[in-house]
Amino acid sequence: MSTSTKFDHPTNANRFNQDQARTHWHDSALWFIREKRDRMSKSLPEWETLRSCASQIKAHTVSKLADYLEEFEKNARARGAIVHWAKDAEEHNQIVLDILKKHEAERIVKSKSMLTEECHLNPFLEKNGIEVVDTDLGERIVQLRQEGPSHIVMPAIHLKKEDVSETFHQHLNTEAGNNDPCYLTESARQHLRDKFMQADVGITGVNFALADTGGIVVCTNEGNADLGVSLPNVHIACMGIEKLIPSADHLSIFLRLLARSATGQPITTYSSHFHGPREGGELHIILVDNGRSNLMNSDDYRNALKCIRCGACMNTCPVYRRSGGHSYAATVPGPIGSILNPLRDAKHHKSLPFACTLCGSCTDVCPVQINLHEQLLTLRTEVKNQKQLPVSKTMPMRIASWVFQRPKLYAWLGGIGKFFLRNLPRFMIYNGMNPWGKNREMPEAPSESFRQQYAKRAKKNQSK
């Protein structure tokens, strides 16, 4: 597969849609989560107030991010944490490796961390002889399958229980054909417990970092983060610099929004606070930029840094639900990923801003009120200005623009189009020359155009 094809969303989405039954199941599964989110949000009269407060807190933090980062570093060090700074993924990975080498660590357990996925930490460590085990159940499933996560909260949402059963039979020697979720979960628990007991170092992500206390908060539903850092003596916490909030007083706002938006729960099962290392242990916190400063300096895309990685925009997006997370060929898929990835690498991710209907549903459900669909529309112009669009997209738009500037020609072509839609056999309309109609029905041709109806009504009004 060529690089251009690998990163092309329409090509990848078409591959996902080859299995229509799975596509409809994926769509329904995510919409079920969206409906749970709606029920939870409607149960709180103050929901919109919480969203507005969270958005303002994030905007304020981003505007003074340098000051808050220094405050966080100072307070974290005062509590005994060791703070590292990484400008990019390469530097982040090297810092982690240096810590592991210092402690002669060979076995790592890691809870869910989209930052480490973004930095491709796992393959980097594996190349250096380190065993890395993802301990979140969904993450472990896709790791065993040598896949990336397809969703930032539900990494294995694209898989059915039959797929998991087959994977576990192959890698964990479970009973062939046993699809019982309880059996599969218990098998994973026993498998992971051994990994926890043997681990030399535990790695976690960070959901929120508190500038005024120097503490970090990790939210999970499985408790794997707590177990992963309680047994080894070394805890490495990897966080993007945008995860900061000014004060512990603000934390409750985000905790009330996060789980309700992500999975329709009142709160995550575990919200674990870490303020310095445990006695006799070490806590390393790595603050990672990796392009975030560039976003901070952009008036158009600064709001994207408000993201708390809840995945609500993915659960509601009609394009994501019907194309799958892997079609984005990126760590963060969906609407927010369609902004972040092209800004980091426009050449490879140029198709993502167009993987959007501009319906605005993502903006409506975002718990921190990011104007996602507006940013995607703006980003389309940037992709065009960078000459990243193929002729197959630019030429039709030029032709359409030329036609739209000639009303008589537009009206004549409209009449021709109506005639053909009504009279041509179906195979002449729905074929390889019409990719738009591959998974869609063309609209029924009206008997009269708007112009004809308008002229008829105008004539009727004049005769009165």
Side-chain angles (χ1 to χ4, degrees), residues 110-386:
K110 183 165 73 68
S111 68
K112 186 186 298 174
S113 165
M114 296 316 297
L115 178 70
T116 60
E117 294 284 351
E118 173 189 323
C119 296
H120 304 292
L121 178 65
N122 283 21
F124 173 80
L125 294 181
E126 287 165 356
K127 287 179 182 178
N128 285 275
I130 309 292
E131 180 192 55
V132 185
V133 176
D134 284 309
T135 59
D136 173 89
L137 179 56
E139 289 272 0
R140 185 56 178 161
I141 291 169
V142 296
Q143 185 183 33
L144 290 173
R145 294 171 62 89
Q146 297 184 343
E147 297 176 351
S150 67
H151 190 288
I152 61 176
V153 175
M154 300 168 284
I157 189 64
H158 61 292
L159 299 173
K160 294 186 175 183
K161 60 183 180 181
E162 291 80 7
D163 303 315
V164 178
S165 175
E166 183 181 339
T167 300
F168 280 11
H169 174 63
Q170 181 181 352
H171 295 278
L172 307 185
N173 296 316
T174 56
E175 182 182 331
N178 192 333
N179 303 329
D180 177 53
C182 293
Y183 168 72
L184 296 174
T185 303
E186 182 60 28
S187 300
R189 182 180 290 116
Q190 296 303 322
H191 160 70
L192 289 172
R193 189 165 297 275
D194 290 338
K195 300 298 183 181
F196 283 125
M197 297 298 292
Q198 298 167 9
D200 301 313
V201 172
I203 298 178
T204 71
V206 174
N207 289 94
F208 305 102
L210 313 175
D212 67 337
T213 67
I216 58 175
V217 180
V218 181
C219 302
T220 68
N221 277 327
E222 300 171 22
N224 55 304
D226 300 76
L227 191 56
V229 300
S230 296
L231 297 176
N233 286 327
V234 182
H235 173 191
I236 303 175
C238 309
M239 62 171 275
I241 56 175
E242 82 283 5
K243 293 300 181 78
L244 207 59
I245 58 176
S247 168
D249 294 336
H250 302 133
L251 180 62
S252 62
I253 296 173
F254 292 95
L255 291 180
R256 296 182 75 191
L257 289 167
L258 177 62
R260 288 179 169 89
S261 298
T263 55
Q265 300 170 244
I267 195 168
T268 50
T269 307
Y270 300 90
S271 298
S272 305
H273 299 239
F274 299 93
H275 288 80
R278 63 185 177 87
E279 186 176 351
E282 289 184 13
L283 170 60
H284 295 262
I285 303 174
I286 307 177
L287 302 170
V288 185
D289 188 318
N290 203 33
R292 288 159 174 78
S293 293
N294 295 333
L295 272 180
M296 188 172 63
N297 294 328
S298 168
D299 292 336
D300 290 325
Y301 307 112
R302 186 180 299 117
N303 276 347
L305 289 174
K306 294 179 181 179
C307 179
I308 59 173
R309 301 295 193 269
C310 68
C313 61
M314 299 166 204
N315 301 339
T316 196
C317 176
V319 176
Y320 175 88
R321 297 200 321 264
R322 293 169 177 84
S323 63
H326 288 153
S327 65
Y328 292 79
T331 300
V332 180
I336 186 64
S338 296
I339 296 168
L340 298 176
N341 295 303
L343 290 173
R344 186 174 293 124
D345 186 354
K347 180 180 178 181
H348 285 143
H349 297 293
K350 61 192 175 191
S351 66
L352 293 188
F354 300 89
C356 173
T357 65
L358 298 178
C359 65
S361 184
C362 51
T363 299
D364 291 340
V365 301
C366 177
V368 287
Q369 298 182 330
I370 302 173
N371 56 331
L372 291 160
H373 71 292
E374 294 175 356
Q375 292 189 36
L376 285 166
L377 182 59
T378 303
L379 195 51
R380 290 181 180 185
T381 303
E382 290 200 16
V383 172
K384 174 184 175 295
N385 292 340
Q386 294 174 14

Side-chain angles (χ1 to χ4, degrees), residues 87-106:
K87 65 180 179 182
D88 54 27
E90 182 180 354
E91 201 166 286
H92 163 269
N93 292 348
Q94 190 59 51
I95 291 171
V96 173
L97 181 61
D98 290 343
I99 297 170
L100 300 181
K101 285 183 175 179
K102 175 185 174 183
H103 292 276
E104 300 181 348
E106 297 179 352

